[in-house]
Every structure is written in C-alpha cells, then in structure tokens.
Amino acid sequence: MKKAWITSLALTLMLTSVVGCSSGNNTNVAKTNANPSANGNTAKEVKLKFSIWGNETHAEMYQGMAETFKETHPNVSVEIMSIPLTDYQQKLSIMSASKTAPDLGWVAERMIPQFISANQIIDISEVKSDAEYNFNDFNPVSYELFDQEGKLYGIPFSTPPAMIFYNKSLFQAKGLKTPTELYKEGKWTYEEFSKAAKELTDPSKGVYGAKLFRESKNWSDAIVPLVWSHGADLFNEEGNRFAMNTPEGLQALQLFDDLMFKDESHVKPGDQTTFESGKLAMFQDRYSNVTKARAIQDFEWDIAPMPSGPKGTVTSLGLAGYSVFEGTKHAEEALAFLKFISNQENMSTTAKYFVPSRTAVLNSDAFMKSDPKPSAESIKLAVIDQMTNAKFSPAHKNWQKIDSEMQIMFDLLYTRTESVDQVLKRMEEHIDPLTK
C-alpha cells in the first residue's frame, strides 16, 4: 500500500479517535435487475455459495446479513462456506479448475495476483457507476491490487496490520512491564520481546512466552514483520528475486530460531496452544483475532504494536476483499450480495472485527468504539499509529508454489535438519526460480 495513503488514513483515524468476491474474466457482470420479483416477475430460486476463512462468529454475522438481503431479494439464499486459511487458496484453485468454485468469497492480498492471472475472479467494474453504492468512499489505493488494466476484480473490506495480543495478567503476575508500557517508553524492541518471552515461559505449567503464527504453515505471517524490521525482505522490489539471504535476513531468522529452540520460549510446530487458553503470553496476529479474544473471561488481555528491530517497526498490512468467482451461474445475484455486504451500513457491522476500508466507516465510532475491548487508546496505538510505516504482505502470481516450497524449507529448520544459514541458502536456490 502506498505510504501516502496509509499516512493519510492514519491521520484521519487519529483525528477521529481524538474527537469522539460469471460471465467471464474479460466481461463485466451484465447490468440487469438482480431482483426480478421487484418488477412483479416470477423469480427463479438462487442459492449462492459464499466462501470465507473466518470463524463461527464471522459466519454468523454474514448469515445475518444474508437473511436481511433476502428481504429485498426473496429468491436468493446464501450458504456460508468456511475454509481454513492455510488451505484456502489451494482449495479454491482446485474448485475453480473443476468448476465447483463458490459464487463469491473472501480473497487475501497474496491470492489476488494468482487469481487474476489464472482468470479465477471476474471484472466487477460496474460498481463504480452505482451512485447509491458510493464507490468513491473507498480510497483508490485500498483497492489497487484489484484494479488491473482498467478492470476491477474485487472490493476491499479490511486492511489489518499485524500486532501483538498479550496476556496482561501474566505480565502483572511476574511484575514485568507490558508491551504497551514499553512501547510508550520507546523500549518495545525484539530484544525486550525475547527477554519477556523467556521470563514468562513456564514449562511446568505449559506456558509459553511467544507464538508468532496461528499455525506453523503460516511462515510468512511469522517472519515478515521480523525480517522487515531488520532491513531484509522476501523479494526484491521488482518481485523477481528472492532477497532474504542477506546478513540482515540471517539475523532475523536466527532470532526466530532462537526463540523456538535456544530459549524454548516459542511454541513448537504442531503445538496447539492457543492465546485464549491463557498459556500464551504474547501472540502475533491481525486485528480480526479480537473476535476470539473478546470471549476471554479468565485473564486480562490487550493489544500492542509489533516490536521494533534495527530498522524500526515495520508492520505487515493485510488486505481482505470480496470477489466474484469465474464460472458462477449467478453473477448478477453474487454481485448484488457483494455490494450489499460492503455498503456503508454493513461495513459498519464488520468493523467490529475488521479494520474497515470505507472512509465513512473509518471516521465513525463503529470501528473505534465497537466494543470495550480493546480500548480506543489501544486501537490507536496498535492499529492506527502503525499504518504510517506498514506495508502490504508479500504477494506474487506464483505464491502458491512459493508458499509450498517455503513450508518445506521451514520444516528443515523445525526438524533441526539444517542450520539457519543453510536453510536460507536452500531457500534462495529453490525460491529464486519461482519468482521469474
């Protein structure tokens, strides 16, 4: 995401906090009435399939929207399909090839280049001319990954930065300063993160100090902010070369390895310990994890920015959007539902769980004060203030192959088969050709 827009967005939100997914990939969806019953015609029953990688709460939220949508589109029902994020892109690609893809669904920044290149999502540019939809409420940079060669392949609904969820009760019990306190003092670094993780680890109680991924397959979520803050990157600027095999990349990956195997303060691959269990002191995730965190009753928690490294704090910024999939037999109805769930009213609803993309929603209490936890102050510190230096998570048209190879490389690290520097060299040998 361009720094200028992120900076503008951050400033807008700071002021607010102070004051208060066919017809083919080369063709637009036909501009016809998606609600024929409104004209007195007999409407054919339509069942849309809508895919997400969210949790049960998200599914229930969308089901509620689907029921409201049915009030004005009585012939349309919506089935919510939940697919784990780690399997999402591969499963949708397989379903698309076998003509069994859902009608519409979520897509993430790392999926978009491949989906567009493989003609798996369709052009929905007609939304731009719908005055009632008010497409201009979206900042152009928020949908630039979808906007290719004069065609629009989706609508963004969330731009969440990575952050640290921490067990405040564990910090207090040990008499340690919290990540928020250290951040306010300008001392929230990866060095302090490592020290706190080691101090808070208690093997006798099954308590770990840190977990930088939801699952070990999510290697990119675990290391990208860490790598960036040390001055390295996954790809070069042109995206045609693996760029992490540098002294800075080695330093970052060594820190990750040390947390897991030297200090033994980080959860091992395969360990299912969750933040909600109360046995994780610090957990890296995106803002959407507040859905689970808000259900916690047994301990106090909060959110904090990512720690800083030698090159400062560089947070990864995610992008989630809605796209209509190629091959749908109900393109009109799918687009109508997409527009419905991304209008201002419904984005105000999703803002309880996601960092919204509509300016009007960003400028409202629907986001900043949607729930007592986290507080508006914590949202400002961990979300708004971090957007200035945040960057989109790496994306590539060959991401699926790159991801699979990187998982194999990380397994060499996790099984202690090779050292960090050996794994980095092997990454370069295997990943570099895939970037061409």
Side-chain angles (χ1 to χ4, degrees):
M1 180 171 284
K2 295 179 182 176
K3 187 172 181 179
W5 174 74
I6 299 174
T7 303
S8 176
L9 173 62
L11 289 172
T12 301
L13 285 170
M14 282 191 284
L15 288 171
T16 301
S17 64
V18 172
V19 183
C21 200
S22 160
S23 57
N25 203 44
N26 298 319
T27 308
N28 281 17
V29 178
K31 296 182 179 180
T32 55
N33 186 10
N35 184 20
S37 61
N39 296 328
N41 299 325
T42 301
K44 182 179 179 180
E45 290 298 318
V46 171
K47 185 172 184 178
L48 297 176
K49 290 187 177 181
F50 174 49
S51 61
I52 67 173
W53 60 77
N55 56 43
E56 186 177 345
T57 300
H58 300 150
E60 291 175 353
M61 174 184 69
Y62 283 114
Q63 196 60 61
M65 292 182 188
E67 291 171 4
T68 303
F69 181 74
K70 195 173 182 64
E71 293 176 4
T72 53
H73 299 73
N75 63 311
V76 182
S77 59
V78 181
E79 176 187 347
I80 312 298
M81 299 172 54
S82 292
I83 305 171
L85 177 58
T86 51
D87 304 322
Y88 195 86
Q89 185 170 3
Q90 181 178 16
K91 186 165 184 177
L92 282 183
S93 294
I94 293 173
M95 294 174 75
S96 179
S98 62
K99 309 297 182 183
T100 58
D103 300 282
L104 73 163
W106 286 5
V107 292
E109 75 285 339
R110 65 191 58 166
M111 306 172 191
I112 296 170
Q114 177 182 319
F115 283 173
I116 293 177
S117 177
N119 297 328
Q120 293 175 335
I121 51 181
I122 70 174
D123 180 18
I124 58 169
S125 297
E126 68 175 74
V127 300
K128 295 180 179 180
S129 59
D130 187 333
E132 184 178 355
Y133 183 66
N134 190 18
F135 180 75
N136 291 331
D137 191 25
F138 295 90
N139 188 288
V141 180
S142 72
Y143 56 81
E144 67 175 8
L145 288 177
F146 286 120
D147 196 8
Q148 301 294 323
E149 299 181 354
K151 297 175 182 178
L152 185 70
Y153 293 97
I155 292 293
F157 69 86
S158 181
T159 53
M163 63 189 64
I164 297 295
F165 287 77
Y166 66 91
N167 186 321
K168 192 172 182 178
S169 298
L170 287 179
F171 277 86
Q172 293 174 335
K174 285 281 188 177
L176 299 177
K177 289 185 178 181
T178 67
T180 298
E181 291 171 330
L182 289 170
Y183 177 79
K184 289 180 177 179
E185 295 175 2
K187 299 177 181 179
W188 183 226
T189 64
Y190 274 104
E191 181 180 1
E192 290 297 327
F193 174 88
S194 299
K195 287 180 181 178
K198 190 174 182 177
E199 179 71 19
L200 292 164
T201 296
D202 189 344
S204 67
K205 296 181 180 179
V207 175
Y208 287 94
K211 187 177 183 180
L212 294 178
F213 48 63
R214 293 182 185 178
E215 299 180 43
S216 57
K217 288 183 178 181
N218 299 130
W219 59 270
S220 61
D221 289 343
I223 68 164
V224 166
L226 176 61
V227 167
W228 282 346
S229 70
H230 281 73
D233 209 335
L234 185 60
F235 307 123
N236 63 353
E237 190 172 345
E238 292 74 26
N240 59 8
R241 185 172 63 82
F242 180 76
M244 211 172 89
N245 189 16
T246 63
E248 295 81 8
L250 176 61
Q251 184 182 8
L253 193 56
Q254 188 64 62
L255 189 154
F256 177 62
D257 188 76
D258 286 346
L259 283 168
M260 194 173 292
F261 298 105
K262 181 182 178 181
D263 298 343
E264 298 188 331
S265 60
H266 190 290
V267 170
K268 301 290 194 303
D271 190 311
Q272 300 301 311
T273 302
T274 65
F275 182 69
E276 302 80 57
S277 70
K279 296 183 181 296
L280 276 182
M282 295 176 288
F283 175 48
Q284 177 183 318
D285 206 344
R286 300 199 183 277
Y287 186 78
S288 57
N289 189 58
V290 297
T291 308
K292 292 182 178 180
R294 285 168 177 157
I296 293 171
Q297 302 288 330
D298 301 329
F299 61 89
E300 292 297 315
W301 63 275
D302 207 341
I303 56 176
M306 294 299 298
S308 63
K311 297 299 181 180
T313 302
V314 190
T315 302
S316 65
L317 195 68
L319 172 66
Y322 306 120
S323 287
V324 177
F325 291 105
E326 169 66 30
T328 176
K329 297 178 181 179
H330 311 295
E332 295 174 49
E333 293 85 357
L335 181 56
F337 185 63
L338 182 154
K339 290 164 63 177
F340 179 75
I341 60 179
S342 60
N343 64 25
Q344 182 175 332
E345 179 181 357
N346 284 313
M347 194 165 284
S348 294
T349 298
T350 61
K352 185 174 182 178
Y353 312 111
F354 311 125
V355 180
S357 302
R358 278 186 176 273
T359 302
V361 182
L362 288 167
N363 290 334
S364 72
D365 288 345
F367 175 56
M368 295 295 293
K369 299 180 180 180
S370 63
D371 194 275
K373 290 186 178 182
S375 67
E377 179 187 10
S378 292
I379 292 175
K380 179 180 179 299
L381 289 176
V383 180
I384 301 170
D385 291 354
Q386 306 312 309
M387 286 185 164
T388 300
N389 294 316
K391 300 194 299 182
F392 269 138
S393 295
H396 197 280
K397 64 180 181 180
N398 286 334
W399 181 260
Q400 200 169 336
K401 292 180 180 179
I402 291 171
D403 183 37
S404 296
E405 283 295 320
M406 287 292 282
Q407 288 183 39
I408 294 172
M409 301 301 107
F410 271 94
D411 281 343
L412 296 175
L413 205 62
Y414 298 152
T415 58
R416 317 312 292 153
T417 303
E418 293 187 355
S419 63
V420 173
D421 59 335
Q422 290 174 323
V423 168
L424 271 176
K425 291 176 183 177
R426 191 178 291 274
M427 285 178 177
E428 186 170 32
E429 293 171 358
H430 286 254
I431 304 303
D432 206 56
L434 296 176
T435 65
K436 311 307 181 187

